[in-house]
Every structure is written in C-alpha cells, then in structure tokens.
Amino acid sequence: MIITAWYYQQDFQLNRSVIFGVIYLILFKLLLSKKISISKTSHFMVWVGLVVIWSNIFIKSGSLSLVIIQFIFMLIMSSFYLIGSRVALIASILACLPVMINLLYDNKVFSNKYTSDFVASPGYEILVILNFLTVIIAHYFFNEAFKNNMSIQKELNKKLEIAVEEANKAAQSKSDFLSAMSHELRTPLNAVIGMTNLFLSDPKSYDQQENLKILQFSSLNLQALINDVLDFNKLNSDKLGLNNISFNLYEQVQNICATMKFQFEEKKINLMIDLDEQLKSVFIISDSLRITQILYNLLGNALKFTAKGNVMISLKIIDRSQSYIKINFAVADTGIGITKDKQEIIFEPFIQASSTVSKNYGGTGLGLAIVKRLLQLFESSISLESQPNLGSKFFFNINFKIGDAGLVTEVKNTDILKEDLSHLKILVAEDHVMNRLLLKKVLNKWNNQPTFAENGLEAIAKLKEEDFDIILMDLYMPELDGYHAAQFIRNMQDGRKSRIPILAFTASVSDTLILDIKAAGMNDCLSKPFDPQELYRKIYFLVNV
C-alpha cells in the first residue's frame, strides 16, 4: 500500500517510509537468520531514527509537528533499553537538538499551529527543554535502576545455584557415607548372624541354646538399627518405593509375631494376636517387606515401653469389594503411655517423649518416624490414643488390592524342597575371610563343596580352568570388583561360561544397586547379612531357569 501511494504521489514522507520500511524488513529477516547481532541492529535503528528526525525538521517542512515530537519521545525511551545508558544519552541529546535549534529560530510556527495559547519566549523554549530533560533523566535513572536490579538478581541467582549445588553435594556425601558405613558394618555382622544361625540349627544343651538366642537377638537388633538409619535416609530423599507382590497377610503377621516371640518371653510380656479369620483366605498385592517393617517397629516400640501386662496386635476387615479390601491395623499396649502434649512430636525423627525416656529405654527415636513415612507410601496415616500409665494404641487403615494365591505358590514350594546342592559346582568370589568361612559352612550343610576366589581376577581365572553351575559374586573386591568381573564373563567366547548365572552378594545398600547389577549382566542379588533359606532359594531358581 505504501509503495502504491509512493508511485502515484511521489511524496517525500512516503519515500522515506518506504525506504525505512524496506530497511527494517531486511534487518528483521537478518535477525531471524542470526546473521547479525541484536546489539548492532539496535544501534543501527537508533541512528536511522535520528536521521529521520533531522531530515523531517530541516529538509521536509522546516518546522515541528506532533508526530515528530512523539517519535523523539519514542526514540529516547527505546534507546535506553536497546543500546545502553551512555550511548542513549548521546542519542537522546541529538534527537532533541533539532527541536532546540528550530525553537531558537521559529518558535511561532509550532505554537500557532498546534496550540490555542501562545507562551511568550523564552518561557516556551524553557518549558520544552525541561520536558525533554525530564523524559531523558527519568528514563536514564529508571534504566540504571533496572540494570542494577538485574545485576543483583543475577548475583543472587548465581549464589542460589552455588548453594543448591553445595546442598546436593552434601546430601550425596551423606548418602555415600551411610552406604559406605552400612557396607562396613554389615560385612562383620553377616558373619555374626550367619554363624549364630548355624549354631542354632545343630542340637545343643539348653544353656548353649539360650546364649545363642541372646547373641542372635542382639545381632538382629543391631541389624534393625542399621536398616532404620538407612531407610530413614532413603525416605528423606524420596528414593524409597513399594515393591508389590502377592502374599497372605494373615500368614505374614503370624510369622512376624513368631520371630518376636522370644523377645516377649524374655521380658515376660504377653503377646496377644487378634486377626480377622477372613484374612486366612485373602491374598493381597502390596509390599510385604514394608508392612513387616511397620508392624515390627510398632510391636518393638510397644514392647520397649511396657514393663508388665500385654501387647495386642489386631487386624480387622472394615470394607471389601471384588478387587479391594480395607484393613484396620492396631497395636495396643499396657505401657507407660504418652501425655497429650507429646503425642505429636514422637513421630518426628530423633525425638522421644522426654529425656528420661531416652535414658531409661534407649533407642534412636527413628522407629515411629519411619512408620509415619512408610505409611505415606501406602497413602495412609497413623493415629494414636494414649494416656499416661494406661498404655497406648497405634492404629491405621490401608486399602489393598486383592491378589491371586497362585502368584505365591512357586515361592512357597521352595520351602519343602530337599536341601541338597551336592550336584552343583559353585564358585564363590569373596575377599572377606570370615564371609568365606561362613559361606563354606552354610554350603557344606547342603552337601556342597564350593570353590573360592578372593577377587574378580582370580574368579575369572578359575572359571577359565573349569566349568561351574553358578557364581556367588561379591561386588566390592580388590584387584577387580564384581561389576567388572561380571562384564568380562558375559563377553567370554565360550557361550556356556558367558551365560553362567551370577548372584551378586553384597552388603551395599546403594539406591541404584539393582540397576547397576543388571547393567553388569548379573542375574540377581542377595544382601548381607543373608538368610540361608533365601540363599538356597535363589541358587535353586537360578540354576533351574
């Protein structure tokens, strides 16, 4: 449209509009293609604007107009944000200069044409100059304040990024420290628990059996303490999830109570069990390990604070459909009770009802905090009813999906298998001497004579020399660790050797443990301290897949 008008009228104003319009279109296209910088383009546009102002006043009409005044205001305002304060000051002065010159020589042309009242000279010139100065100074200081604010914001953002990075490093260091400490603590603990279980499995006198049960109880308590600290760390970092399997909750609770029976008998506290009979025939899909951990913590807590009387665990079905079942869990005791003002804080980590409780009963104060956070994974929350010296009752509801009993048949069948592994050739890669001794004794009970290697290199050398049915591979060994040893084995030319089942055997509790062992080519893992029956099941299934 502009080009058409220019062709028929040949107007000077239109000529400039067409020229500058074309120039701006070219600049815009170059900007989009990133062939020129925004800074250079901004400078060019400001200086072109100055040419427009000067040419309009001194070439086109020799006078001022409201349009050109508005253009000057726009240039002053935009230049501070396009080319910076110092250059913008110069450009603003140059934009105002032709107006000043015009006012000095012909102020009546502008005033008579666009105002109804004439302002006498030099008042008119002073008024115009002050207006321009006000606009320039206002935008200058505003732009300076804006730049300072942005500079401060960038500095604060940089400090925030550094603080977040340091916090992440600190959290990772804490996690790494706990993992390392767990590995170092679990390694000797594995030998203590394992040897205790071996001694308990043989006939012995009553006194020996009692002493061994005390040793077993103490070592299991130490293991539970380590697990509490590690689980609390995982819960804080949101790295703990649910591993859903199908299991019978009635049987699970019976097993939990059976494992704690000795502790209750030692303290002469009666453990009462009240389970809904309908649960006998129901299989649920959930995380049996976390359910066990919740109930174990609540029962242990009730036992700790009950000097006489009883502790009762009850499970009641409160709602049921074809696919889901809602169960109420409750653990009640006749212990010391908790005052009303302390009933909220006991669920906070490392906090107990009072310093007297900590001194008299011990503990880390993590048990109830872990229960509370674990229940959040089940979309549930724990409630408490308690009175001092009258006992306490902890209760909660969980909605479970109903599962299929057939899903657990295969696992349960392993319990009745004959424990004999004499037909298997087992290679054990383990650097810790006590763990080698323990594994030797455990495997000997199943009529197996394992071959041992003290590191990954030795394990590979023995595998090259003879055939084995399965490898028990410790992950952290000198010379060559279990990860790299497994990767080497998977790349061996001999197809039978490269496909040998590898069971990772570790005290590590890394968050990425499962992913790491799978990436290395190992088939499964077993944590230390280990349950001999679980070791047997895993060996059986891996060699029979």
Side-chain angles (χ1 to χ4, degrees), residues 43 46-47 49-50 53-54 72 75-76 79-80 83-98 136:
H43 279 79
V46 170
W47 296 114
L50 288 174
I53 295 169
W54 279 73
I72 293 171
L75 185 138
I76 292 170
S79 62
F80 281 102
I83 60 177
S85 298
R86 293 182 181 179
V87 184
L89 273 175
I90 298 171
S92 299
I93 293 170
L94 291 175
C96 297
L97 188 59
I136 294 170

Side-chain angles (χ1 to χ4, degrees), residues 226-396:
I226 295 170
N227 290 339
D228 279 352
V229 173
L230 293 169
D231 282 343
F232 182 75
N233 180 56
K234 288 183 179 179
L235 284 165
N236 270 347
S237 57
D238 296 325
K239 292 180 179 178
L240 199 63
L242 297 178
N243 182 28
N244 293 324
I245 60 170
S246 181
F247 67 99
N248 183 265
L249 185 60
Y250 187 96
E251 184 179 318
Q252 186 81 2
V253 175
Q254 292 280 8
N255 290 337
I256 293 169
C257 294
T259 59
M260 299 189 72
K261 183 180 178 182
F262 175 74
Q263 302 173 40
F264 279 86
E265 289 177 349
E266 283 291 302
K267 203 172 178 181
K268 297 180 180 179
I269 302 296
N270 185 28
L271 176 58
M272 304 170 65
I273 306 171
D274 181 19
L275 306 181
D276 197 317
E277 290 297 315
Q278 296 181 54
L279 289 173
K280 283 184 177 181
S281 59
V282 177
F283 284 79
I284 63 170
I285 296 177
S286 188
D287 192 323
S288 62
L289 177 63
R290 299 306 166 197
I291 294 292
T292 299
Q293 194 172 5
I294 291 170
L295 295 179
Y296 190 86
N297 272 320
L298 289 177
L299 287 170
N301 191 71
L303 176 62
K304 183 197 300 185
F305 296 109
T306 302
K308 60 181 180 178
N310 58 70
V311 172
M312 173 179 281
I313 178 171
S314 65
L315 273 69
K316 299 294 180 185
I317 297 174
I318 56 177
D319 191 20
R320 182 174 181 177
S321 66
Q322 189 173 357
S323 303
Y324 289 90
I325 184 169
K326 192 172 187 179
I327 301 173
N328 172 261
F329 296 76
V331 175
D333 63 64
T334 58
I336 62 173
I338 306 163
T339 58
K340 194 72 176 177
D341 60 318
K342 302 293 184 182
Q343 291 182 14
E344 288 294 329
I345 66 169
I346 62 168
F347 293 102
E348 296 303 317
F350 306 107
I351 294 178
Q352 295 184 333
S354 68
S355 59
T356 305
V357 169
S358 179
K359 291 176 183 177
N360 293 339
Y361 297 95
T364 61
L366 280 177
L368 292 177
I370 290 173
V371 168
K372 179 182 177 181
R373 299 199 184 192
L374 283 175
L375 283 173
Q376 290 173 356
L377 298 177
F378 292 93
E379 298 181 355
S380 179
S381 58
I382 191 163
S383 300
L384 168 63
E385 294 177 356
S386 182
Q387 292 184 30
N389 302 316
L390 294 178
S392 304
K393 179 183 178 181
F394 295 88
F395 56 97
F396 55 91

Side-chain angles (χ1 to χ4, degrees), residues 185-186 188-197 200 212-228 255-256 258-263 296-297 528-532:
L185 289 170
R186 284 168 179 264
L189 190 59
N190 177 55
V192 173
I193 294 176
M195 295 300 285
T196 304
N197 289 333
L200 282 170
L212 287 170
K213 282 184 176 180
I214 294 171
L215 176 60
Q216 183 186 46
F217 172 69
S218 299
S219 58
L220 289 174
N221 272 352
L222 178 57
Q223 182 185 3
L225 175 61
I226 295 170
N227 290 339
D228 279 352
N255 290 337
I256 293 169
T259 59
M260 299 189 72
K261 183 180 178 182
F262 175 74
Q263 302 173 40
Y296 190 86
N297 272 320
K528 303 174 187 176
F530 67 92
D531 178 3

Side-chain angles (χ1 to χ4, degrees), residues 151-170:
S151 177
I152 293 171
Q153 189 68 33
K154 286 181 180 178
E155 187 177 348
L156 289 174
N157 287 340
K158 189 174 180 180
K159 288 181 179 179
L160 180 61
E161 288 175 3
I162 294 171
V164 169
E165 186 178 352
E166 289 177 351
N168 288 336
K169 286 181 179 178

